Amino acid sequence: STSPPTHDNYLVIGGCGFLGRHIVDALLGRGETNVAVFDIVQRHFDENVTFYTGDISKLEDVAAAIAKSGAMIVIHTASPPHGRGAAVYEAVNVTGTQNVIEACRTAAVPKLVYTSSAGVVYSGKEDLINADERLPYPAVPMDAYNDTKARAEALVLAANSDDLLTCALRPSGIFGPGDRQAISGFHSVIKNGQTKFQIGSNENLFDWTYVGNVAHAHLLAADRLDQTYPVAGLHEPLPWVNLSLP
Ligand code: NAD
């Protein structure tokens, strides 16, 4: 169900990306009137959305956008696409997220929601079955993307305080209109004739979530990111989970 608009100032970082755009659409769709976007490239042009162009790995860029937008709620979805070098992931995911946190603190932004990834707890070697938030990060991360997503997530959760409430969401695969990676990846597998190979027993499962539902989850997290709900920061063990259930 759709919550009513809060009429707070929202800034969606990475708001010209696949998920970021769906978050912008969901905010506008529920009647929010103060929606701004920060992205390294402007791919959308709406009259009712303010676009700031810049690079989150540069503190001055993201600090200017957060200050100018008067953001009360920052939703940070930016990340480089798959297949980039480790230095790019380090700069954008780790330094960039640190910059977002610092800029939020400087501008006294009360809420920060971060798009993490299910991959932060996946080593690439062992299946994850019924995993939840108590699972530790793997000792040896699968790759630079997942390593830097995990370190960015840890920074966001550790930054949680009464002044800046933070949380991180971990989607698995995301599908839907506007996808920039999954379908093109499937397409190139078909185009390159790679469908005749089978890896494993063909019984492995992988989670996918519709992009509209992932966007909705970000709005719910922002709405409930409040001292009265146990959403913010790190919780061990999770207070709302009855661990004795079978
Ligand atoms: P996307 O590439 O479509 O969107 C990311 C956006 O970030 C782009 O618009 C890009 O221009 C922007 N960006 C990249 N570098 C930037 C920089 N230095 N400064 C400012 N903006 C920058 O990707 P997506 O699929 O929408 O992913 C959104 C988030 O969800 C990412 O954090 C990703 O790690 C996470 N995620 C995605 C999936 C998936 O299946 N797509 C799964 C799990 C987690």
Side-chain angles (χ1 to χ4, degrees), residues 17-19 39 43 55-56 77 115 145 149 172 174 180:
F18 169 43
L19 172 62
D39 205 299
R43 297 191 192 87
D55 181 350
I56 57 165
T77 74
T115 316
Y145 169 79
K149 289 295 287 186
S172 192
I174 308 174
R180 300 169 356 106

Side-chain angles (χ1 to χ4, degrees), residues 114 116-118 120-121 132-133 135 137 153 157 168-172:
Y114 176 62
S116 181
S117 167
V120 298
V121 288
D132 67 18
E133 293 87 339
L135 201 68
Y137 299 127
E153 178 196 85
L157 296 179
L169 301 178
R170 293 176 176 172
S172 192

Side-chain angles (χ1 to χ4, degrees), residues 126-149:
E126 286 165 36
D127 288 341
L128 297 181
I129 298 164
N130 294 334
D132 67 18
E133 293 87 339
R134 292 166 295 180
L135 201 68
Y137 299 127
V140 181
M142 187 167 63
D143 56 23
Y145 169 79
N146 288 290
D147 177 32
T148 55
K149 289 295 287 186

Side-chain angles (χ1 to χ4, degrees), residues 79-168:
S79 180
H82 283 279
R84 300 294 154 100
V88 177
Y89 291 123
E90 189 73 29
V92 179
N93 288 345
V94 183
T95 307
T97 300
Q98 184 66 61
N99 289 343
V100 171
I101 294 166
E102 192 175 329
C104 283
R105 283 195 181 126
T106 304
V109 174
K111 291 180 176 186
L112 169 63
V113 177
Y114 176 62
T115 316
S116 181
S117 167
V120 298
V121 288
Y122 183 53
S123 67
K125 296 191 174 74
E126 286 165 36
D127 288 341
L128 297 181
I129 298 164
N130 294 334
D132 67 18
E133 293 87 339
R134 292 166 295 180
L135 201 68
Y137 299 127
V140 181
M142 187 167 63
D143 56 23
Y145 169 79
N146 288 290
D147 177 32
T148 55
K149 289 295 287 186
R151 284 157 55 212
E153 178 196 85
L155 289 171
V156 168
L157 296 179
N160 180 59
S161 68
D162 288 346
D163 294 334
L164 175 64
L165 297 168
T166 68
C167 76

Side-chain angles (χ1 to χ4, degrees), residues 13-21 23 38-43 52-58 61 76-82 88 91-93 96 114-119 145 149 169-175 178-182 206-209 211 214 218:
I13 298 179
C16 289
F18 169 43
L19 172 62
R21 181 64 206 182
I23 292 172
F38 177 83
D39 205 299
I40 202 162
V41 51
Q42 186 172 350
R43 297 191 192 87
Y52 301 95
T53 313
D55 181 350
I56 57 165
S57 65
K58 295 182 184 146
D61 286 7
H76 168 23
T77 74
S79 180
H82 283 279
V88 177
V92 179
N93 288 345
Y114 176 62
T115 316
S116 181
S117 167
Y145 169 79
K149 289 295 287 186
L169 301 178
R170 293 176 176 172
S172 192
I174 308 174
F175 72 95
D179 154 52
R180 300 169 356 106
Q181 297 188 70
F206 187 83
D207 285 333
W208 290 90
T209 309
V211 64
V214 182
H218 282 71

